[in-house]
Amino acid sequence: MHQALMDSIGFPADDRFQILTSHDGTTGTLRHGTYLDIPRDDGIVYIDITMRAGRTADQKKDLYERVCALAHERADVAPHNVFIVIHENTPADWSFGHGQAQYLP
């Protein structure tokens, strides 16, 4: 995931704020089905990205393609099972510690 973020939209190498959660049917479940004629099965990988606004639609499309390619290459995830959603916010929405808004002047 991080490699795709660096390759496609320029995330810094040390920007590794990632949460990985398993939905294996025991610790949690992830509902899926067919939507937009894309079938999904129990091999689904749901990726939820929160980042600052400002990337272009083309950068996001590149990100989706890169994530899918790397997931298939490195983890044998079927491309139809890669589901990605992006949430964007502003620099004021981030604090990385010390009660400060590091992205604000």
Side-chain angles (χ1 to χ4, degrees), residues 23-62:
H23 296 278
D24 61 6
T26 302
T27 58
T29 56
L30 182 59
R31 302 289 188 251
H32 57 79
T34 299
Y35 181 67
L36 299 176
D37 294 323
I38 302 169
R40 290 169 197 84
D41 54 46
D42 288 340
I44 189 171
V45 174
Y46 180 90
I47 300 168
D48 190 319
I49 302 169
T50 301
M51 64 184 182
R52 288 183 291 157
R55 277 67 176 208
T56 67
D58 284 339
Q59 286 176 304
K60 292 174 188 176
K61 288 162 80 174
D62 288 346

Side-chain angles (χ1 to χ4, degrees), residues 14-25:
D14 62 348
D15 189 349
R16 292 188 159 272
F17 300 98
Q18 300 164 359
I19 300 169
L20 305 175
T21 305
S22 171
H23 296 278
D24 61 6

Side-chain angles (χ1 to χ4, degrees), residues 39-105:
R40 290 169 197 84
D41 54 46
D42 288 340
I44 189 171
V45 174
Y46 180 90
I47 300 168
D48 190 319
I49 302 169
T50 301
M51 64 184 182
R52 288 183 291 157
R55 277 67 176 208
T56 67
D58 284 339
Q59 286 176 304
K60 292 174 188 176
K61 288 162 80 174
D62 288 346
L63 172 64
Y64 303 147
E65 290 177 14
R66 187 70 175 135
V67 167
C68 194
L70 288 172
H72 183 65
E73 173 188 313
R74 296 181 181 180
D76 200 29
V77 174
H80 69 270
N81 273 332
V82 179
F83 185 103
I84 304 169
V85 62
I86 293 177
H87 306 275
E88 295 182 310
N89 57 30
T90 69
D93 297 316
W94 296 88
S95 174
F96 294 94
H98 299 294
Q100 299 172 356
Q102 284 83 0
Y103 286 148
L104 295 179

